[in-house]
Amino acid sequence: MSNRRRSQPQLLCTSTLAVFAMLALNVQARPANMSALKDKHPNSKEDNEILPPDHLNGVKMEMDGHLNKDFHQEVFLGKEMEEFEEDSEPRRNRKKLIEIFTKVDINKDRSVSAKEMQRWIMEKTEEHFQEAVKENKLSFRAVDPDGDGHVTWDEYRVKFLASKGFNEKEVAEKIKNNEELKVDEETQEVLESLKDRWFQADNPPADQLLNEEEFLSFLHPEHSRGMLRYMVKEIVRDLDQDGDGKLTLAEFISLPMGTVENQQAQDIDDDWVRERKKEFEEVIDANHDMIVTMEELEEYMDPMNEYNALNEAKQMIAVADENQNHNLELEEILKYSEYFTGSKLMDYARNVHEEF
């Protein structure tokens, strides 16, 4: 899975930032990115397995409320994203892109329609889903050492604290004896945030235990409608300045107070505001009343929403549709390869018909 991220303005409220602060590795990376912890302790596999990631492949928005900048690449390439890294050989990438085009072009008319692209997007999204299910099996095994098929919050808490450097046996003993755990404030706030998420993932009738399927929704809320709704509520809570449970354009694009230090930072801020404004007005605000409700945001973030997939397909085609026929030809997709794959190809049109 791709970990490519760009610097972006901070978004979350102070209390939420404190929860995520200890999980962010690089100050230049996407804020509050829980997956950054993977690089913090390369020898600690449990860090990779048991923490909910901030970034969810194939979902339009991050857990911290930022737009997913790699979304269109994720839903176009699926699990093949890693094959198109920027330093890969251009000719190999070009050949691979041609192969993808032929797969998307179901009716073999040498052009891709919005319906064909929609089908492809849904297929690639499902690949991300299946990859998450596969990873979850390993994650669940890491927190369910006795193999009874259920994990208590205390069992998870022991594994989490062990992954933070605490002595696992000592922590387990203290929890068993109901003794106070001496942890720093940041770790405690992370635990409280995870506990809330844990109990949200506990499907009714609540038994305070998570099975493998519930643990999947704990790590990947996109797999559960209830947890997706919880994720939306958390994002709205952090952006909603007047507490009405809805988002105005001003709230959605607002930047934190502070002084911009240089022109580069100002340009980043301007681009960030421009991109969020466009997404709010053209995509998220379905009824164009300049208010985004939780229901609208939930529909927007649902990765298996076929209507969203069709809209995404039309947008992707429009980016490269130079002849304005509302379809995508091979020459166009090769010319705009950087948009679709993140990798720029040179001499994109050379001998394209012969290769195709």
Side-chain angles (χ1 to χ4, degrees):
M1 295 185 181
S2 174
N3 287 324
R4 288 173 291 178
R5 292 287 171 270
R6 298 184 181 89
S7 297
Q8 294 189 356
Q10 187 52 279
L11 195 67
L12 299 178
C13 64
T14 304
S15 61
T16 307
L17 284 175
V19 174
F20 290 134
M22 66 178 290
L23 300 172
L25 170 66
N26 188 339
V27 295
Q28 298 300 321
R30 187 181 297 275
N33 190 344
M34 298 181 80
S35 62
L37 195 62
K38 293 180 180 180
D39 298 324
K40 190 173 182 180
H41 302 294
N43 295 323
S44 180
K45 189 176 181 182
E46 286 185 349
D47 279 1
N48 297 352
E49 294 175 337
I50 68 174
L51 276 175
D54 176 55
H55 177 73
L56 305 169
N57 282 343
V59 179
K60 283 192 171 185
M61 192 172 282
E62 310 282 19
M63 287 292 295
D64 59 14
H66 284 42
L67 298 179
N68 177 4
K69 295 298 181 181
D70 295 329
F71 175 76
H72 54 269
Q73 294 170 16
E74 291 169 359
V75 297
F76 182 73
L77 296 176
K79 61 185 180 182
E80 296 174 328
M81 276 196 72
E82 292 299 322
E83 297 186 23
F84 284 88
E85 291 297 337
E86 294 178 1
D87 57 353
S88 359
E89 204 277 309
R91 187 172 182 82
R92 186 186 68 83
N93 283 352
R94 182 169 176 270
K95 183 179 179 181
K96 187 67 179 174
L97 190 51
I98 292 172
E99 291 174 359
I100 291 175
F101 181 89
T102 61
K103 292 177 182 177
V104 184
D105 180 22
I106 291 293
N107 63 6
K108 305 304 176 187
D109 65 351
R110 299 197 174 194
S111 69
V112 170
S113 67
K115 282 291 186 181
E116 287 175 320
M117 185 67 84
Q118 177 196 31
R119 180 200 63 81
W120 182 257
I121 287 173
M122 295 298 291
E123 186 177 311
K124 297 295 108 177
T125 301
E126 180 61 27
E127 283 185 5
H128 289 305
F129 266 53
Q130 292 306 316
E131 185 68 17
V133 170
K134 181 180 177 182
E135 291 176 355
N136 184 65
K137 289 186 179 296
L138 298 175
S139 303
F140 190 74
R141 195 178 304 162
V143 295
D144 182 32
D146 58 10
D148 65 355
H150 295 88
V151 179
T152 68
W153 165 247
D154 283 343
E155 286 176 325
Y156 178 81
R157 189 162 46 141
V158 168
K159 291 295 183 181
F160 169 76
L161 290 173
S163 76
K164 305 303 298 177
F166 291 84
N167 184 287
E168 183 170 344
K169 289 184 178 180
E170 289 182 5
V171 170
E173 189 66 22
K174 284 182 178 292
I175 290 177
K176 181 181 178 181
N177 297 328
N178 292 318
E179 296 180 27
E180 182 182 357
L181 291 174
K182 295 182 179 180
V183 299
D184 60 85
E185 184 178 350
E186 287 183 345
T187 300
Q188 184 59 40
E189 290 188 10
V190 171
L191 276 171
E192 290 173 1
S193 176
L194 290 173
K195 184 177 182 179
D196 185 35
R197 182 173 176 145
W198 180 274
F199 287 102
Q200 288 291 331
D202 184 11
N203 292 329
D207 56 7
Q208 300 185 7
L209 302 171
L210 296 192
N211 58 29
E212 186 173 320
E213 182 179 352
E214 291 169 329
F215 191 71
L216 173 64
S217 67
F218 169 73
L219 293 183
H220 290 271
E222 75 275 20
H223 285 252
S224 160
R225 194 71 186 189
M227 284 300 289
L228 182 65
R229 190 171 295 117
Y230 170 73
M231 177 179 172
V232 167
K233 287 180 179 178
E234 291 291 290
I235 291 173
V236 170
R237 184 196 65 185
D238 289 326
L239 298 177
D240 182 18
Q241 297 173 8
D242 60 11
D244 65 352
K246 302 174 184 178
L247 297 179
T248 63
L249 175 61
E251 289 171 331
F252 192 73
I253 68 174
S254 63
L255 290 166
M257 299 293 290
T259 303
V260 177
E261 296 181 355
N262 53 49
Q263 187 58 46
Q264 182 181 12
Q266 182 64 58
D267 290 343
I268 290 174
D269 282 0
D270 291 345
D271 288 344
W272 186 82
V273 169
R274 190 180 304 112
E275 289 169 0
R276 290 182 72 85
K277 182 176 186 293
K278 185 176 189 296
E279 195 75 3
F280 182 100
E281 294 177 339
E282 298 181 9
V283 186
I284 308 177
D285 181 18
N287 62 1
H288 304 293
D289 64 352
M290 298 305 292
I291 297 289
V292 165
T293 63
M294 288 193 187
E295 290 75 19
E296 285 176 319
L297 191 57
E298 184 179 333
E299 288 302 311
Y300 167 77
M301 292 182 62
D302 181 5
M304 298 308 290
N305 185 316
E306 293 188 3
Y307 179 73
N308 286 348
L310 181 59
N311 280 339
E312 180 66 22
K314 291 177 180 177
Q315 290 176 37
M316 291 172 72
I317 289 174
V319 167
D321 185 20
E322 291 193 340
N323 62 11
Q324 298 295 301
N325 68 349
H326 304 295
N327 287 338
L328 196 63
E329 276 73 48
L330 181 59
E331 293 90 339
E332 292 170 332
I333 197 173
L334 290 174
K335 183 174 182 178
Y336 288 85
S337 63
E338 191 168 9
Y339 172 80
F340 289 99
T341 70
S343 177
K344 190 172 183 179
L345 307 181
M346 304 303 291
D347 299 326
Y348 68 91
R350 184 171 58 188
N351 299 325
V352 64
H353 292 293
E354 288 81 351
E355 288 193 33
F356 185 49

